[in-house]
């Protein structure tokens, strides 16, 4: 099948590449000429394990191509996926300017029946708006299908190739069957393709992310309570994780969630609810998360004082999670900005996110090329991202390189008793 995917961010590039991997001819479209030029050369502008190799292979086999020509891509495709960004608006709502512009561009290029599939995360009711926008621009027949994505950054290719479920929303049976056919190769193990109305499909994406974000804020709230009462949140987590109604996932305490989805989607749901259906719980989830991002700095201040002038801090981890270079809403930004504001210097390392960090901090912090290079002369080490290479470091080496043997562990990677036996002050 000939497909077009508009938008080459995480969602669009992964979707387009995986559809090509299953034998479709896919044209990926973007208005960013620099990004398209990179992709044509086989360079992927984001870090996602396994993606660059797959892009190069499918491009070499001429199933995957890249262009800025939306009109040409629409004319040769029977199904067009909208995967453009929906950035947060001033009131927390999702900005649909890119979606609207894409829908109208598709409408102007159409010359016969087309299936338009929305993969962007959009507010409930957006499919109806897309139908209206396209109808205003063309008399050609079309169908709109809602198809939310459920990809995890750092495992996006695997999630697409082996989805837990595929959600499709719409009322055109012919179009739904065509899109179901596209997904059949990915659900051969029996995982379901769920068909529903478009509004329910749109809501399913927000509801899933809201549930996961709620679990994170819940365990972070429990962590604070454990600390005040002398309980070990690690042991508490183990105990509740064995309850099948709760499970072990997304209940690791830390410095809060970040990234392109959870913060934006929670705020969008709060905005969607408004006064009519006030999202009381999600407002609390957001409040807990914002507070949690500053918890490590509070501990630094209690140990060293409010004025950190003359002190250098080593930071391990800048990305909001491991296996990605994404720093959107990353807790590291809140922590580092607070350290700098208090007069400290920061020497940071991340396996993949250094270039993204430079866009945010510029020359205000130093960047190490290896994790141990961030340590010499530092007053303490702050661990902000749970990269695997940080889980079993050489603690004696860390102790020798630091000015003082102090660790602030923002991801609960280490066993407190073991670290303290080595002579560290451990938070």
């Amino acid at each position: 099948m000939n497909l077009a995917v508009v938008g080459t961010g995480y969602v669009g590039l992964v979707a387009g590449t995986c559809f090509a991997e299953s034998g479709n001819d896919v044209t990926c479209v973007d208005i960013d000429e620099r990004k398209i030029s990179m992709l044509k050369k086989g360079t992927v502008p984001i870090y996602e394990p396994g993606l660059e190799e797959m892009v190069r292979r499918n491009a070499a086999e001429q199933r995957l191509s890249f262009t800025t020509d939306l009109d040409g891509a629409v004319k040769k495709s029977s199904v067009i996926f909208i995967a453009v960004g929906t950035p947060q608006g001033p009131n927390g709502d999702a900005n649909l300017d890119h979606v609207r512009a894409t829908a109208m561009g598709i409408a102007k290029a159409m010359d016969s029946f087309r299936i338009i599939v929305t993969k962007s995360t959009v507010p409930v009711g957006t499919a109806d708006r897309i139908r209206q926008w396209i109808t205003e621009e063309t008399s050609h027949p079309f169908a709109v299908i809602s198809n939310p994505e459920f990809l995890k950054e750092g495992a996006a290719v695997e999630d697409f190739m082996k989805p837990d479920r595929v959600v499709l929303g719409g009322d055109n049976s012919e179009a739904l069957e065509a899109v179901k056919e596209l997904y059949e190769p990915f659900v051969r193990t029996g995982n379901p393709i769920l068909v529903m109305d478009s509004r329910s499909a749109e809501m399913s994406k927000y509801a899933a992310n809201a549930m996961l974000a709620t679990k994170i804020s819940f365990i972070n709230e429990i962590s604070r309570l454990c600390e005040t009462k002398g309980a070990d949140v690690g042991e508490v987590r183990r105990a509740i994780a064995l309850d099948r109604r709760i499970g072990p996932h997304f209940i690791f305490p830390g410095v809060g969630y970040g990234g392109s989805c959870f913060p934006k989607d929670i705020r969008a749901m709060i905005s969607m609810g408004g006064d009519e259906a006030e999202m009381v719980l999600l407002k609390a989830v957001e409040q807990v998360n914002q507070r949690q991002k500053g918890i490590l700095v509070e501990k630094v201040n209690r140990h060293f004082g409010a004025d950190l002038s003359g002190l250098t801090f080593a930071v391990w981890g800048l990305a909001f999670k491991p296996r990605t270079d994404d720093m959107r809403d990353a807790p590291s930004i809140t922590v580092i900005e607070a350290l700098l504001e208090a007069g400290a210097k920061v020497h940071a390392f991340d396996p993949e996110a250094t270039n993204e960090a430079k866009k945010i901090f510029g020359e205000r912090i130093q960047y190490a090329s290896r994790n141990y290079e961030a340590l010499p002369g530092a007053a303490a080490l702050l661990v902000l991202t749970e990269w695997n290479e940080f889980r079993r470091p050489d603690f004696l080496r860390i102790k020798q390189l630091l000015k003082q043997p102090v660790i602030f562990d923002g991801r609960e990677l280490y066993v407190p008793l073991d670290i303290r036996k080595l002579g560290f002050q451990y938070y």
Side-chain angles (χ1 to χ4, degrees):
M1 196 178 292
N2 288 327
L3 313 177
V5 179
V6 187
T8 58
Y10 271 99
V11 176
L13 188 56
V14 170
T17 304
C18 291
F19 280 132
E21 181 78 3
S22 64
N24 299 284
D25 291 323
V26 182
T27 304
C28 290
V29 186
D30 205 293
I31 61 172
D32 188 333
E33 294 183 2
R34 185 187 67 85
K35 186 186 289 188
I36 291 298
S37 177
M38 289 176 65
L39 288 166
K40 284 181 175 179
K41 296 173 184 175
T43 302
V44 174
I46 55 175
Y47 175 72
E48 184 62 41
L51 182 59
E52 188 163 299
E53 177 189 354
M54 194 180 287
V55 167
R56 289 179 177 177
R57 181 173 63 252
N58 283 279
E61 295 173 3
Q62 299 184 344
R63 289 191 300 268
L64 182 64
S65 60
F66 303 96
T67 184
T68 57
D69 179 13
L70 176 62
D71 187 90
V74 170
K75 281 184 167 54
K76 69 179 183 181
S77 302
S78 56
V79 181
I80 302 103
F81 287 83
I82 298 176
V84 296
T86 52
Q88 182 179 311
N91 299 319
D93 54 339
N95 185 318
L96 294 178
D97 288 350
H98 298 315
V99 174
R100 184 173 186 272
T102 301
M104 295 180 73
I106 292 169
K108 290 174 182 176
M110 284 168 51
D111 52 12
S112 61
F113 178 76
R114 293 292 189 279
I115 300 171
I116 295 102
V117 184
T118 310
K119 282 206 79 66
S120 301
T121 300
V122 293
V124 177
T126 299
D128 298 330
R129 298 177 71 178
I130 290 173
R131 289 188 190 93
Q132 179 184 343
W133 293 330
I134 294 177
T135 300
E136 291 172 357
E137 292 292 333
T138 183
S139 59
H140 291 294
F142 65 93
V144 176
I145 303 296
S146 297
N147 174 217
E149 55 84 16
F150 299 97
L151 307 179
K152 299 185 297 292
E153 289 188 34
V157 171
E158 183 179 0
D159 285 348
F160 198 100
M161 300 295 283
K162 301 175 182 178
D164 294 329
R165 76 292 200 197
V166 174
V167 174
L168 303 178
D171 55 12
N172 185 306
S173 58
E174 178 187 346
L176 286 166
E177 283 302 316
V179 180
K180 281 179 69 176
E181 184 181 330
L182 281 174
Y183 278 104
E184 288 293 345
F186 308 118
V187 293
R188 296 180 66 185
T189 56
N191 287 349
I193 297 177
L194 305 176
V195 177
M196 59 191 71
D197 63 277
S198 60
R199 288 180 177 243
S200 297
E202 290 165 340
M203 180 62 84
S204 67
K205 165 67 175 179
Y206 283 106
N209 278 354
M211 185 67 218
L212 297 175
T214 299
K215 291 184 75 172
I216 294 170
S217 282
F218 169 80
I219 197 63
N220 282 334
E221 192 89 317
I222 295 299
S223 179
R224 279 179 173 260
L225 186 60
C226 285
E227 188 170 30
T228 64
K229 299 300 180 182
D232 184 339
V233 70
E235 296 300 325
V236 173
R237 190 200 71 79
R238 287 175 57 208
I240 66 174
L242 293 171
D243 187 323
R244 285 174 291 180
R245 297 167 299 175
I246 297 171
H249 305 296
F250 286 84
I251 56 169
F252 289 90
V255 285
Y257 58 75
S260 62
C261 293
F262 287 5
K264 178 172 69 73
D265 291 353
I266 295 302
R267 292 164 196 156
M269 288 191 79
I270 292 169
S271 177
M272 272 192 281
D275 295 329
E276 184 180 15
E278 184 184 3
M279 298 285 101
V280 178
L281 175 60
L282 296 188
K283 286 181 178 179
V285 168
E286 167 74 1
Q287 182 182 358
V288 169
N289 195 60
Q290 289 303 112
R291 184 180 67 179
Q292 198 70 12
K293 288 182 179 182
I295 191 170
L296 224 57
V297 179
E298 293 174 13
K299 294 174 185 287
V300 169
N301 290 147
R302 283 201 293 270
H303 184 95
F304 291 101
D307 184 0
L308 303 178
S309 300
L311 298 177
T312 297
F313 291 91
V315 170
W316 282 3
L318 296 167
F320 86 95
K321 63 181 286 190
R323 293 168 62 87
T324 180
D325 61 353
D326 196 344
M327 286 192 61
R328 285 173 287 185
D329 265 301
S332 63
I333 299 173
T334 301
V335 172
I336 291 173
E337 290 289 3
L339 294 175
L340 294 175
E341 188 174 345
K345 295 179 180 179
V346 173
H347 201 178
F349 169 77
D350 188 282
E352 295 294 339
T354 298
N355 288 336
E356 292 301 311
K358 288 178 178 178
K359 297 174 187 177
I360 297 167
F361 301 113
E363 301 302 316
R364 293 187 295 146
I365 69 174
Q366 287 183 281
Y367 306 93
S369 56
R370 294 183 66 248
N371 57 341
Y372 294 109
E373 290 177 9
L375 299 174
L381 167 64
L382 281 70
V383 182
L384 302 182
T385 312
E386 62 273 34
W387 286 94
N388 280 339
E389 61 206 78
F390 301 159
R391 292 181 181 275
R392 294 290 183 270
D394 183 339
F395 287 106
L396 293 180
R397 186 177 179 185
I398 292 173
K399 190 175 180 181
Q400 290 170 352
L401 292 172
L402 289 175
K403 198 172 183 180
Q404 303 176 42
V406 184
I407 295 177
F408 296 89
D409 180 3
R411 294 297 179 181
E412 301 274 338
L413 295 187
Y414 312 127
V415 178
L417 185 60
D418 293 348
I419 302 300
R420 289 177 180 134
K421 282 182 179 178
L422 294 172
F424 286 92
Q425 288 183 277
Y426 177 75
Y427 298 90

